[in-house]
Amino acid sequence: MSEVIFHNTLTRKTEAIQPRDGNLVGMYCCGPTVYDHAHIGNFRTFLSQDVMRRTLQVAGYKVLHVRNLTDVDDKTIKRSRDEGKPLATVTEHWTRVFHEDCARLNLLPPQIEPKATDHIQEQIDMIKSLLEKGHAYATPDGSVYFRVSSFDEYGKLSRIADRELTTTAADASPNDSDEYDRDSMADFVMWKSRKEEDGDVYWDSPWGEGRPGWHLECSAMAMKYLGKNLDIHSGGEDLVFPHHENEIAQSECCCDTEFFRYWIHCAHLLVDGGKMSKSLGNFYTVDAIEEKGFAPVTLRYALTAGAYRQTINFTLDSLHAAQSALARLRRFSDAILAAAGLKRAALLKAIDKGKHVDDEWGPFAPSWKSLSNDLNIPGALGSIFTVLKETDISNLDPAQASAIAISFHKLIFALGYNLDQVILEKPKVEAPEEIQALAQQRWEAKQAKDWAAADQFRDELLAKGWKILDSKDGYTIDQI
Ligand code: AMP
Ligand code: ZN
């Protein structure tokens, strides 16, 4: 097993991952709210998490990946009411669309994908326990709030205290919205009493009809599925506060133990220098990028080629650069596999199953060092391309080619590029002299109006794998 280092938001340091349970890493990622297409910003985060997981696998860890589906909140309920359809019909439709997009972008499916609505009882149980311990209180309308002032360590993730904000109780300033609120340290809602706009979306509870608040679902599901493996918790940077801060407060107060150890956050994606918005017409989805003629692997490259902790600005131009970089990777992959007598799909499958876990990186050692050091993908790609430039495949014997093919494809697996999606333009090959001579004879026969001879030469060329394209004043020869 080799070392993998990530930046931990909790400690503000880069740290080597040390899972609680030997070589099994529990990894919880906050998943999508399923009420619409996920946009390419969401996918920047999901892709970074996918590269994290793949990198851990290549380093020799087993990863238990849990990513939830938020299928009840203000937005999903609004959508179901606007469309006059049951909540489950709407969320199941958008879950299917999300899964299709994930498959096209070559995201490994999480082993567990729990839905908030399937875990209402677990969330109610947590609230009960927090009430018993005095960390929560019910309000007269039948809602329940977490008492922020009851947890001394509140703010340890986001360092919100540094922003000198004051704590407000819910009865003074209730904060029961599912939307993010970045500037208030108010007590937050864990159980929302039923409101008229919720329609028929409600559950019974000891506090009356209602539904859980958004922060609670991730705490309940993470503890249920990763109870002994609370290692990595991850999301976009917007989730640091209040979502993850609140998850820590609820969970640590409920269980009196440390919640996750490593908190990893991805910076946001901007489009054309600003926030994505439907009204500006720059709200891109995977479909929209494909409609512009780019394969999903090209989008994957463009979204992951920058450092995940830095904001990136997406432009359509970045897709052209991605396309040519991927073509170089594909050509090298084809050539090195041919020299090694290996097949791409079988090799990648073996890597996924943990077959080539070793520290043999050969010329790709600097690339792995970059990747395993807080996912320095720009550094890794830079050194991969240096190796590609310096490697003369024709000089390698099969054993050398095989070693290079394996380490190269371990990196391709970690980066998750589906090279089969890369479309290569056929390189122009100059016709050999014999073919050029035949083509010239055909041209002369044609000029002399000897059609039979011209046809014969044409057929001979076709049989040898070449075709002639005539133009007004000449001809060109192309390989079939
Ligand atoms: P949501 O479906 O809004 O709950 O978001 C799903 C994931 O996408 C969360 O981890 C968010 O932090 C992340 N996210 C949302 N917008 C962006 C963006 N523009 N760039 C990167 N990640 C984002
Ligand atoms: Zn979450």
Side-chain angles (χ1 to χ4, degrees):
M1 226 139 41
S2 51
E3 192 174 76
V4 180
I5 293 169
F6 286 119
H7 180 267
N8 186 355
T9 311
L10 191 61
T11 57
R12 304 288 195 272
K13 289 190 184 118
T14 45
E15 294 169 16
I17 297 293
Q18 289 178 332
R20 292 173 198 258
D21 184 10
N23 79 337
L24 178 72
V25 180
M27 178 168 164
Y28 187 95
C29 301
C30 292
T33 310
V34 278
Y35 73 107
D36 200 344
H37 282 282
H39 55 61
I40 61 171
N42 301 133
F43 279 115
R44 179 188 194 200
T45 291
F46 296 135
L47 284 165
S48 303
Q49 293 162 338
D50 187 59
V51 181
M52 271 172 221
R53 167 176 166 185
R54 288 165 172 272
T55 301
L56 286 162
Q57 279 185 230
V58 169
Y61 294 97
K62 297 253 172 300
V63 182
L64 178 52
H65 180 195
V66 181
R67 188 182 60 215
N68 67 301
L69 294 165
T70 297
D71 62 347
V72 57
D73 77 330
D74 298 346
K75 287 184 283 200
T76 44
I77 292 174
K78 182 171 184 314
R79 188 81 188 221
S80 103
R81 284 182 69 104
D82 289 351
E83 292 186 0
K85 291 183 186 150
L87 181 67
T89 308
V90 170
T91 57
E92 278 162 20
H93 167 75
W94 290 110
T95 300
R96 262 195 309 278
V97 172
F98 176 65
H99 285 163
E100 282 162 18
D101 285 351
C102 287
R104 285 190 286 169
L105 288 170
N106 206 25
L107 285 146
L108 295 172
Q111 289 92 337
I112 306 175
E113 198 175 37
K115 294 195 282 191
T117 54
D118 285 343
H119 298 80
I120 302 294
Q121 190 55 48
E122 287 84 345
Q123 298 179 72
I124 290 177
D125 290 344
M126 268 190 82
I127 300 175
K128 277 193 205 159
S129 150
L130 288 164
L131 276 166
E132 276 163 26
K133 293 179 169 185
H135 289 293
Y137 56 92
T139 48
D141 71 334
S143 296
V144 183
Y145 286 82
F146 183 87
R147 193 190 310 277
V148 165
S149 61
S150 74
F151 182 48
D152 286 347
E153 294 180 65
Y154 192 83
K156 67 178 170 181
L157 180 71
S158 59
R159 315 260 164 115
I160 193 166
D162 298 348
R163 293 203 254 153
E164 292 177 356
L165 296 172
T166 46
T167 311
T168 18
D171 31 11
S173 165
N175 180 8
D176 64 356
S177 164
D178 288 330
E179 297 294 324
Y180 314 158
D181 180 353
R182 294 180 145 273
D183 297 315
S184 154
M185 222 160 94
D187 291 354
F188 57 89
V189 73
M190 292 190 293
W191 187 261
K192 297 169 79 149
S193 64
R194 185 178 173 190
K195 296 209 174 67
E196 203 193 318
E197 59 267 28
D198 290 344
D200 59 359
V201 181
Y202 68 90
W203 288 264
D204 284 328
S205 82
W207 316 285
E209 291 168 345
R211 60 182 168 101
W214 169 49
H215 310 301
L216 196 58
E217 64 175 273
C218 290
S219 289
M221 296 190 282
M223 288 198 278
K224 173 163 181 176
Y225 295 106
L226 293 175
K228 293 194 177 60
N229 305 94
L230 296 167
D231 297 312
I232 296 177
H233 196 126
S234 157
E237 62 185 354
D238 56 315
L239 299 190
V240 176
F241 186 85
H243 184 53
H244 288 165
E245 194 72 68
N246 291 352
E247 279 192 46
I248 292 176
Q250 296 159 161
S251 311
E252 299 199 348
C253 289
C254 179
C255 302
D256 297 315
T257 53
E258 185 192 23
F259 194 37
F260 284 87
R261 300 163 97 181
Y262 306 101
W263 291 81
I264 306 177
H265 293 97
C266 308
H268 265 202
L269 173 93
L270 302 177
V271 169
D272 300 326
K275 234 183 132 161
M276 254 180 296
S277 100
K278 280 189 176 154
S279 57
L280 290 173
N282 64 3
F283 182 97
Y284 288 118
T285 60
V286 180
D287 278 348
I289 300 292
E290 266 205 296
E291 276 159 24
K292 291 191 185 297
F294 296 99
V297 64
T298 313
L299 178 61
R300 179 172 179 120
Y301 190 102
L303 294 181
T304 53
Y308 79 95
R309 287 199 290 128
Q310 273 166 25
T311 304
I312 56 166
N313 182 34
F314 176 83
T315 58
L316 286 176
D317 274 353
S318 65
L319 292 171
H320 292 287
Q323 226 165 14
S324 62
L326 282 164
R328 284 158 73 196
L329 296 174
R330 163 83 193 252
R331 284 203 184 91
F332 185 81
S333 168
D334 289 354
I336 197 80
L337 289 169
L342 294 168
K343 292 265 177 284
R344 188 156 46 233
L347 179 54
L348 290 171
K349 201 164 169 197
I351 293 167
D352 188 12
K353 293 209 174 320
K355 191 153 172 252
H356 294 288
V357 174
D358 51 45
D359 278 333
E360 296 302 315
W361 286 100
F364 291 107
S367 317
W368 171 248
K369 194 156 188 276
S370 294
L371 191 63
S372 56
N373 184 6
D374 201 25
L375 298 191
N376 176 0
I377 299 179
L381 286 170
S383 53
I384 289 173
F385 286 118
T386 305
V387 176
L388 264 48
K389 215 164 27 188
E390 289 171 356
T391 306
D392 180 356
I393 296 177
S394 61
N395 271 339
L396 303 174
D397 64 35
Q400 290 169 320
S402 172
I404 290 188
I406 291 170
S407 36
F408 174 73
H409 286 89
K410 284 203 291 189
L411 292 165
I412 293 298
F413 172 81
L415 294 162
Y417 300 146
N418 178 356
L419 294 181
D420 294 327
Q421 277 181 5
V422 178
I423 299 150
L424 293 180
E425 278 173 27
K426 248 195 183 167
K428 282 250 174 256
V429 178
E430 208 188 326
E433 268 175 34
E434 175 210 5
I435 301 295
Q436 290 190 29
L438 276 172
Q440 184 58 27
Q441 282 171 290
R442 175 187 165 274
W443 178 252
E444 282 162 15
K446 212 177 146 187
Q447 298 304 98
K449 300 198 171 17
D450 182 352
W451 309 117
D455 285 351
Q456 209 180 336
F457 285 125
R458 187 200 57 207
D459 292 344
E460 205 177 324
L461 281 161
L462 281 173
K464 290 181 190 292
W466 294 86
K467 65 175 186 258
I468 305 291
L469 297 172
D470 285 331
S471 60
K472 211 156 60 112
D473 8 80
Y475 60 91
T476 53
I477 319 168
D478 256 343
Q479 229 171 358
I480 298 169

